[in-house]
Amino acid sequence: MRNFTKVKQLGGLSVFFFSFCFIFLGTPLLRAQDPSSAAVSGAESPSRDSSEIVRLSWKASKEGDLKTLSALGDEIVKTYGDRANALASQLNNFPSRSKAGDYKIMSDVATCLFIKAEAFMHQGKNDEAIAQFKNIITQYPWAQCFDPSRGAYWSVAEKAQASIDVIQGKAPQNPAPVKQASKTILVLKFPGKEEVVDWAKYGNFLNVGTKDYHYQIIDRDGLEAALGEGIYPNIADVYKDPCYKKALREGRLQGSHWDFVNTPDLQAAFYKWVMAPEAWGVKLYYIGQVLEKAGLYAQAIKAYDSLIVNFPSTIAWTYWQTPWYPAQAALAKIHYLIRIHPQLHMEFVGAKIHILNTDDPHNYVTSTKPGIVRKLSVLEIAKQKLNWQPLKMPLGKPVFYSGQGDVRFVKYESGHWQLLVDNKPFFIKGMSYMPTKVGQSPDDGTMADWMQEDDNHDGTISAPYEAWVDKYGDNKRHADEPVVGDLFLMKEMGVNTLRIYYQPAMKADKAFLEKMYKGYGFKVAMSNFLGKYAIGSGASWSEGTDYENPVHQKNLMEYVRQMVMEFKDEPYILMWILGNENNYGVASNADKKPVAYYKFVNEVAKMIKSIDPNHPVAICNGDTLFLNKFGQYAPDVDAFGANVYRGDYGFGSFWDEVAELAGKPAFISEYGAPAYGGASMNYEQGQQAQSDYHKGNWLDILYNSAGYKEGAGNSVGGMAFEWLDEWWKDYSPSIHDTKADAVGPFPGGYYFEEWFGIFGQGDGSQSPFLREPRKVYYTYKELWKE
């Protein structure tokens, strides 16, 4: 997720999986670079690429150089204006992603004009700004600015209108209430004769646990009757279903099946996905999702189970051309549904889908153990009601320690891992904490250091110590709403760890951290960007950190050394975390040279341990991309951390992959979901969906920790994203934006980046003090209680 610095053309959310694994990146720090002398004279460089003019325009805007910015605007209009206008005349909607490149010149011209207009606005030249914004809206309504670190486009005209609204004071502070479309109840005429299907009764499992696994159907009629309509191989019953015929007659099945992913018409969505022209492995996953949304959980489990049994080797390609393996997600979904709905009285055991050749998904191989879904016996149900823990298992004796200090990891005979602090198990219940005042933005250079910010000038840091809960939701503080502070609220929630970054712009304050630790006991996972966004390497933004460059390596080594020397003896340090999804690139070449990157990470880890043997070293990866290279080239790193956003069910194969390819303990350094779901749900439903998402993720973290039979046993905790909504992340820092720019694996089907907070900030008028608690806060108070 985005962190402390951002430029508008390079936002901070990088999307990895289309609908199952979105990975949020931090934001770049744009470093100044002197433009060439030709930058101020369009006439001198008529052949300069439009992209370069855009880059220089952002730079001039960041530096407040209106003269250069104006010249660049003149240059791009003179050089490319006619072509841009011709392209604009060809459109009546946004071009598709595959066609967006054909209209790049048009979008670049519009973007430069937007940057120029925005600069006018920031300098108080409102009339000029409004005129320029209106020109963009009229002339280039379908222009898009590509955000490379997000992997998505934003509408230039939309942001231009938002700027006009800000200037004219028309912008709403909160979204209008969403009237949710009523869901169509999904009724199955033929739901199947068996709640849990015994696949062994109807066929043979061949070559289980190998790449040649296959399920051979023997009794097709019996299997179809057991499964029910729409679940492979039972298609015929759908055509007999009167509800299908009714939906077809009413025209409710028209359009692309992808348009039915988030529709409230669940009946139509079910039939649409059964008939979809996709591989059955993909179809069954979405059929399961529809059944799940309809509350038909046992039927959803049958759909997911059919996917695993019949199509474990299916691979799909996302919008961003990344691989997705539906069967692994289906496996995680079954575990999730059984955890969340204990009234099903089911268990799922023995399943494992192993993907080989993950570096080359075009030539991958799958090894499959389909496992068994079964109903619990009467005795087991009785024990379950008495809170019996059948999933627990003995750990055995310690066989290996990673680290030798007061904080270290231990591996047991069972193969499970724990994090030890003073020789006692410590499970990370972490929080990403960056309390940003409404109206502040790094875009405008107005972002304050929250560790120093004393907004009411009373000598006390505002957010950590002076926040209060608005329990009436009226944006006013009453006598029975005491000042308590975020640290108190986090302690009540069960937080024990904060993830904090060491960086030049906002250095961690030792005095504050010491006071926090003494008062609340919070440990700190101290993070270093390690050259991501060119931070610490000495590289320019356009150049980016090169992990094979000796100068960059030297600078980063010294940068990390300074951090460790400054904090190594502090009692609140839990561990050191290197990087923030560097494997996705963005002002660094770790994505292009992963071997060089992980080798360098290992050298940094060895350096840290040479001066601080008392705290372990971890990495912050972007999901599991290049995990095998990490395992091969970074043996001195103690733990594998990753920012992972896959869905409400948790993290799927993440834990098994880390265990196999790295052999390390693991934790999730970021996970979460927005509390706003767009038109698909109202605010109360959005809060509930956010809470359910966090609960599903946390239970996956827990059930893969030491002592649980079900999981990999290598989980040592997680860090939720994030404590407080940040209003600056989608353009205007004074507007709580509800626009969705890209599809995401979240309850509303999109990410709404300004709504990820465990707490909201109300209408923004009482920021940075007001805290609007969401349902997820109380969910964590239950999940994280001792």
Side-chain angles (χ1 to χ4, degrees), residues 1 20-24 644-647 670-672 721 745 756:
M1 260 283 183
F20 305 102
C21 183
F22 274 61
I23 312 300
F24 290 74
V644 186
Y645 297 83
R646 295 192 181 185
E670 276 188 22
Y671 67 95
F721 188 88
F756 271 72

Side-chain angles (χ1 to χ4, degrees), residues 639-717:
F640 184 81
N643 298 349
V644 186
Y645 297 83
R646 295 192 181 185
D648 57 4
Y649 59 82
F651 310 100
S653 60
F654 173 85
W655 310 104
D656 286 331
E657 290 181 57
V658 175
E660 180 177 346
L661 297 177
K664 306 280 188 180
F667 62 93
I668 307 298
S669 45
E670 276 188 22
Y671 67 95
Y676 181 78
S680 65
M681 58 187 68
N682 61 34
Y683 185 46
E684 287 300 313
Q685 292 163 330
Q687 281 198 63
Q688 185 62 55
Q690 180 195 40
S691 176
D692 292 342
Y693 189 106
H694 273 269
K695 182 176 181 180
N697 278 215
W698 180 254
L699 291 181
D700 191 58
I701 290 170
L702 180 64
Y703 283 143
N704 280 281
S705 65
Y708 285 88
K709 290 181 181 179
E710 176 187 306
N714 57 353
S715 167
V716 294

Side-chain angles (χ1 to χ4, degrees), residues 1-3 5-14 25-28 58 145-152 154 443 533 541 586 728-731 751 753:
M1 260 283 183
R2 289 190 271 186
N3 292 287
T5 53
K6 167 179 175 282
V7 288
K8 288 193 178 74
Q9 85 279 19
L10 298 167
L13 181 60
S14 174
L25 298 183
T27 18
W58 284 116
C145 182
F146 184 69
D147 178 340
S149 67
R150 172 180 286 174
W154 52 267
D443 295 343
Y533 328 122
W541 167 258
V586 185
W728 61 270
K729 289 193 169 182
D730 197 0
Y731 180 58
Y751 71 81
E753 199 175 355

